[in-house]
């Protein structure tokens, strides 16, 4: 439920709650597990409702993980939502989840910076409206897909055509009878390309920098997610070797259509952060010519898009499915907890750094076993770890409040 921010502790024996930054699935799951362990948690959400990022995704989107393996702790996703849950049903589930667990959610509160408390015993959160909130521990769960990242290529700033990030795409109707170039062949780019081809675009091209691993979402009823879960327990090289013959059996060779088989191992690529593309129509669309793979984009020149092979295009619209940044630098970048190469947190789940005790992160990995499943597991681990920490803290006398 939506709740006001708690007032500052008025007496020395009152302790502030744990704050969870972000009201998406990761933040809600952590708050629910903390509450189950007897730890008061308040979720701080910058938008006016929970699940804000899910509300902004394109209309066609469905989970690529099964309903049964995507539920958060303490409340399964309803069976009526089907095996592959639609975007709107994910939003309904998150709303119901917050209500079911009677979570304290303060909306319209954006946390801009997290600092160590002056006494080193906790944290101070700087938030909108000049608020300063103190907490014994903080969980950051602002989301993997936080800040859209447009391609950093020559001529992008001066491109005179229509260029938008995939986060601004909703449905194919606006692109009927148009020539559209989709940049990026991850799961989002692949699905948007199929959506456009099926939705009436005159021509759809898909710019491919690195050939992806394509997998069937389900084979004879066996979901790819279960294979991903099993693979996490196997050596990387073994999974890479096994994936080659399995891929040749289940996915046709699309080399002649401009989409060759990748030359790096499936699990090796996944460990580097590039998970396989689950087929939701791309294979058929490429084979039929409705989606045309082309070379990667090299630059923009005026109204033209220049590809790596020298081809020049003048599409009506360019949709960049080029990923996101986590946008954590201004929030916690000064604390030494981010990987300088990726911008993602070095610790995750129940692990914290010795230099930042009590600062947790959830939802900043993209595993082949399913992001929502991993958020649920992380929430349980964080809940247990924080409950132990809070019990140990409770045995120590609280410091008197300064007059």
């Amino acid at each position: 439920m939506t709740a006001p921010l708690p007032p500052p502790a008025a007496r020395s024996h009152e302790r502030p709650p744990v704050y969870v930054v972000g009201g998406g699935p990761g933040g809600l799951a952590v708050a629910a597990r903390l509450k189950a362990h007897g730890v008061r948690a308040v979720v701080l959400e910058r938008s006016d409702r929970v699940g804000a990022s899910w509300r902004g995704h394109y209309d066609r989107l469905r989970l690529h993980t099964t309903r049964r393996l995507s539920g958060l702790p303490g409340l399964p996703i309803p069976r009526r939502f089907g095996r592959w849950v639609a975007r709107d049903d994910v939003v309904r589930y998150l709303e119901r989840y917050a209500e079911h667990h009677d979570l304290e959610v303060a909306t319209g509160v954006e946390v801009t910076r997290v600092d160590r408390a002056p006494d080193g015993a906790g944290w101070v959160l700087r938030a909108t409206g000049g608020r300063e909130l103190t907490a014994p521990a903080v969980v950051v769960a602002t989301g993997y897909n936080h800040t859209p990242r447009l391609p950093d290529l020559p001529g992008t700033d001066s491109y005179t055509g229509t260029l938008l990030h995939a986060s601004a795409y909703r449905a194919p109707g606006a692109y009927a009878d148009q020539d559209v170039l989709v940049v990026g062949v991850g799961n989002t780019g692949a699905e948007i390309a199929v959506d456009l081809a099926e939705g009436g675009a005159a021509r759809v091209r898909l710019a491919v920098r690195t050939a992806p691993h394509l997998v069937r979402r389900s084979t004879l009823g066996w979901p790819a997610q279960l294979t991903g879960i099993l693979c996490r327990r196997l050596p990387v090289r073994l999974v890479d070797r096994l994936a080659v013959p399995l891929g040749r059996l289940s996915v046709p060779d699309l080399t002649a259509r401009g989409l060759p088989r990748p030359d790096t191992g499936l699990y090796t690529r996944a460990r580097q952060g590039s998970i396989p593309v689950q087929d939701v129509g791309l294979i058929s669309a490429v084979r039929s010519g409705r989606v045309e793979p082309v070379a990667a984009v090299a630059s923009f020149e005026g109204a033209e898009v220049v590809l790596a092979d020298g081809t020049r295009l003048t599409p009506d619209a360019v949709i960049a499915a080029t990923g996101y940044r986590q946008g954590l630098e201004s929030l916690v970048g000064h604390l030494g907890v981010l990987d300088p190469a990726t911008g993602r947190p070095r610790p995750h789940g129940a692990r914290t750094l010795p230099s930042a005790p009590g600062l947790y992160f959830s939802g900043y990995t993209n595993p082949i076993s399913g992001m929502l499943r991993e958020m649920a597991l992380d929430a349980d681990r964080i809940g247990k770890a924080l409950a132990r920490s809070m019990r140990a803290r409770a045995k120590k006398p609280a410091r008197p409040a300064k007059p």
Side-chain angles (χ1 to χ4, degrees), residues 213 235-248 264-268:
H213 283 276
V236 173
R237 290 184 179 180
L238 176 60
V239 176
D240 284 349
R241 286 199 297 268
L242 292 174
V244 173
L246 292 175
R248 293 184 184 278
T264 53
L266 183 149
Y267 200 19
T268 294

Side-chain angles (χ1 to χ4, degrees), residues 110-115 124-128 131-133:
E110 181 177 6
V111 178
T112 56
R113 185 179 171 96
V114 177
D115 288 306
V124 177
L125 292 78
R126 323 283 178 180
T128 48
R131 300 181 179 95
E132 290 191 0
L133 310 171

Side-chain angles (χ1 to χ4, degrees), residues 127-207:
T128 48
R131 300 181 179 95
E132 290 191 0
L133 310 171
T134 59
V138 176
V139 182
V140 178
T142 51
Y144 190 87
N145 297 338
H146 185 272
T147 305
R149 182 178 60 208
L150 282 170
D152 184 16
L153 294 170
T156 302
D157 294 339
S158 58
Y159 179 59
T160 58
T162 299
L163 171 63
L164 66 150
H165 189 268
S167 60
Y169 175 84
R170 293 294 175 271
Y175 306 92
D177 301 320
Q178 292 190 16
D179 180 344
V180 185
L181 173 66
V182 179
V183 181
V185 69
N187 277 290
T188 296
E191 190 158 6
I192 288 177
V194 172
D195 199 31
L196 288 164
E198 294 178 353
R203 187 174 189 179
V204 180
R205 283 175 283 205
L206 182 60

Side-chain angles (χ1 to χ4, degrees), residues 90-395:
V90 173
V91 171
R92 293 185 184 98
Y93 170 68
L94 295 178
E95 291 174 337
R96 176 58 183 147
Y97 190 84
E99 294 171 358
H100 175 81
H101 290 290
D102 195 22
L103 301 180
E104 294 184 65
V105 181
T107 57
V109 179
E110 181 177 6
V111 178
T112 56
R113 185 179 171 96
V114 177
D115 288 306
R116 292 293 299 271
D119 61 4
W123 298 92
V124 177
L125 292 78
R126 323 283 178 180
T128 48
R131 300 181 179 95
E132 290 191 0
L133 310 171
T134 59
V138 176
V139 182
V140 178
T142 51
Y144 190 87
N145 297 338
H146 185 272
T147 305
R149 182 178 60 208
L150 282 170
D152 184 16
L153 294 170
T156 302
D157 294 339
S158 58
Y159 179 59
T160 58
T162 299
L163 171 63
L164 66 150
H165 189 268
S167 60
Y169 175 84
R170 293 294 175 271
Y175 306 92
D177 301 320
Q178 292 190 16
D179 180 344
V180 185
L181 173 66
V182 179
V183 181
V185 69
N187 277 290
T188 296
E191 190 158 6
I192 288 177
V194 172
D195 199 31
L196 288 164
E198 294 178 353
R203 187 174 189 179
V204 180
R205 283 175 283 205
L206 182 60
V208 179
R209 183 172 299 279
T210 304
H213 283 276
L214 296 174
V215 298
R216 301 288 187 181
R217 186 169 64 174
S218 179
T219 303
L220 299 176
W222 179 270
Q225 182 187 9
L226 280 176
T227 302
I229 292 171
L230 295 175
C231 286
R232 296 198 72 184
R233 298 180 179 273
L234 297 175
V236 173
R237 290 184 179 180
L238 176 60
V239 176
D240 284 349
R241 286 199 297 268
L242 292 174
V244 173
L246 292 175
R248 293 184 184 278
L249 285 173
S250 61
V251 177
D253 187 357
L254 301 173
T255 303
R257 291 288 185 177
L259 201 59
R261 296 187 188 277
D263 55 8
T264 53
L266 183 149
Y267 200 19
T268 294
R269 185 86 65 82
R271 291 288 293 270
Q272 295 169 350
S274 179
I275 63 174
V277 172
Q278 294 201 22
D279 177 46
V280 290
L282 181 65
I283 293 173
S284 174
V286 170
R287 294 182 77 179
S288 66
R290 290 176 297 154
V291 171
E292 306 168 50
V294 296
V297 174
S299 64
F300 295 86
E301 293 183 12
E304 291 186 322
V305 180
V306 183
L307 304 183
D309 62 3
T311 303
R312 291 176 176 266
L313 309 176
T314 53
D316 296 308
V318 178
I319 299 175
T322 44
Y324 295 79
R325 294 185 296 104
Q326 284 65 59
L328 293 170
E329 289 79 7
S330 61
L331 186 68
V332 296
H334 56 289
L335 299 172
V337 295
L338 301 181
D339 184 314
T342 65
R344 292 194 286 270
R346 292 160 55 202
H348 71 274
R351 294 191 299 109
T352 62
L353 294 182
S355 60
L359 181 61
Y360 298 83
F361 295 88
S362 179
Y364 296 98
T365 60
N366 192 20
I368 59 175
S369 51
M371 186 178 288
L372 288 176
R373 178 179 181 272
E374 293 304 314
M375 285 180 182
L377 295 173
D378 277 349
D380 194 49
R381 297 178 185 123
I382 291 172
K384 291 176 180 177
L386 250 175
R388 288 194 298 268
S389 175
M390 296 296 284
R391 285 195 296 269
R393 181 186 291 266
K395 295 178 181 178

Side-chain angles (χ1 to χ4, degrees), residues 3-63:
L5 285 173
R11 293 177 294 275
S12 61
H13 67 274
E14 293 181 345
R15 297 182 184 274
V18 170
Y19 284 111
V20 179
V21 185
L28 296 178
V30 168
R33 294 311 296 154
L34 287 172
K35 185 174 182 179
H37 286 288
V39 177
R40 186 186 174 200
V42 175
V43 177
L44 305 177
E45 168 54 44
R46 67 176 180 173
S47 73
D48 60 350
R49 293 174 292 179
V50 300
S53 64
W54 279 93
R55 298 175 192 275
H57 287 313
Y58 50 94
D59 296 348
R60 179 193 178 98
L61 179 65
R62 289 179 176 271
L63 291 181

